[in-house]
Amino acid sequence: MTDKQYDDAILDSNAIDPTDVDGNPIPVTIPIMLAPGVKVVYTTRLGGTSEGDYAHCNLGGKTGDDPNHVLANRVALSNAIDAKLSLVSQVHSGVAVDVDESFVMNRPFGFDVSGSKGEIAQQVGETADNPAVVEADGQVTAQKNVALGMFAADCLPVLMADAEAGVIGAAHCGRRGLQNGVIGATVEKMVAKGAKPERIVATLGPCICGDCYEVGGDLADEFDAQFPGTFTLSRFGQPGIDIAAAALQELAKEIGR
């Protein structure tokens, strides 16, 4: 019998100090290896400087949060994962972009064309040479140490990689994005950079389930017509949809599994 190698005490996350002694954020993340040399990192609300309704590690730049807090949280996350962030403006479209075509270090944490609150841009010296806001829901890169950032609440993040080609992709999949073909558009951009569909591996992130995603009968029927079998009834008996099941259908079509 060996000595116990772990502590099985249940921790109260609210009791964890979100910052260090100097007030710097300590982001709490969930890393998952997707492929050799490719890591998916899910963020949590733990370990940041934001306060009140935004406490603690708010990364969204379009909210009413203090822009200084958002900036500090993003910088801390970039440092924690040892990668520069790439952020675009998500609009529930079927558009994917190759961020390597315009990537510049226009923020201390990386590349931000998401349309964050103006105060963030002004405080770090944005110039007219910086790229304009880019509206897209899929991103692709072949750069090392670049993290494709995807904001998702109810929507589904789909993360993809062809490790042999050194190409990664991320797609923000809500109902409209799936219907607009954002997964296929992202795979297409990956292939254009040397990825092969049969080598691409993918993982689905957290999202709203079919028991909770009520959309109304007409929308549910329309979605189910495009993605058969995704019609659901919520726990309250109302028509809904299963976006994770729809994403799996799209992945099967685009990469064969």
Side-chain angles (χ1 to χ4, degrees):
M1 185 172 180
T2 59
D3 293 336
K4 192 173 180 180
Q5 299 295 314
Y6 62 89
D7 184 351
D8 58 3
I10 298 176
L11 299 178
D12 178 2
S13 62
N14 292 318
I16 300 174
D17 196 332
T19 58
D20 62 20
V21 293
D22 297 319
N24 300 310
I26 311 173
V28 176
T29 62
I30 303 170
I32 297 173
M33 292 304 298
L34 177 60
V38 181
K39 184 184 295 183
V40 170
V41 178
Y42 297 111
T43 62
T44 71
R45 293 189 65 171
L46 303 177
T49 60
S50 298
E51 301 172 341
D53 292 340
Y54 303 103
H56 290 280
C57 194
N58 175 43
L59 300 166
K62 299 181 181 179
T63 66
D65 195 6
D66 184 333
N68 288 316
H69 292 166
V70 176
L71 179 60
N73 293 339
R74 290 177 173 181
V75 170
L77 175 62
S78 174
N79 292 336
I81 64 175
D82 194 25
K84 298 305 179 184
L85 310 182
S86 174
L87 305 176
V88 296
S89 179
Q90 299 169 200
V91 291
H92 299 280
S93 69
V95 176
V97 292
D98 178 352
V99 297
D100 295 346
E101 296 176 354
S102 55
F103 190 100
V104 292
M105 285 289 296
N106 65 341
R107 299 292 186 273
F109 54 81
F111 176 59
D112 183 7
V113 286
S114 67
S116 296
K117 291 277 188 176
E119 293 90 336
I120 296 178
Q122 293 167 8
Q123 288 168 7
V124 296
E126 183 178 47
T127 70
D129 296 329
N130 279 336
V133 171
V134 174
E135 293 186 344
D137 289 86
Q139 296 188 68
V140 170
T141 184
Q143 294 190 57
K144 292 185 177 180
N145 301 318
V146 169
L148 302 177
M150 282 287 148
F151 295 100
D154 289 344
C155 294
L156 169 71
V158 175
L159 303 316
M160 297 171 275
D162 177 343
E164 184 175 329
V167 179
I168 62 172
H172 165 242
C173 302
R175 173 182 61 83
R176 286 180 291 164
L178 285 164
Q179 289 185 294
N180 288 326
V182 67
I183 290 178
T186 305
V187 170
E188 183 178 344
K189 288 289 185 181
M190 292 178 69
V191 170
K193 294 183 75 65
K196 291 187 178 298
E198 62 271 20
R199 289 200 307 244
I200 294 175
V201 294
T203 186
L204 308 187
C207 70
I208 190 171
C209 70
D211 289 343
C212 300
Y213 195 175
E214 295 183 1
V215 296
D218 290 344
L219 288 178
D221 288 339
E222 176 186 299
F223 196 80
D224 187 72
Q226 185 171 352
F227 305 105
T230 57
F231 181 99
T232 67
L233 289 177
S234 75
R235 65 187 63 182
F236 301 109
Q238 299 302 310
I241 58 173
D242 186 338
I243 58 174
L248 290 174
Q249 289 186 28
E250 283 293 274
L251 288 169
K253 181 175 70 174
E254 298 297 337
I255 65 175
R257 58 187 180 283

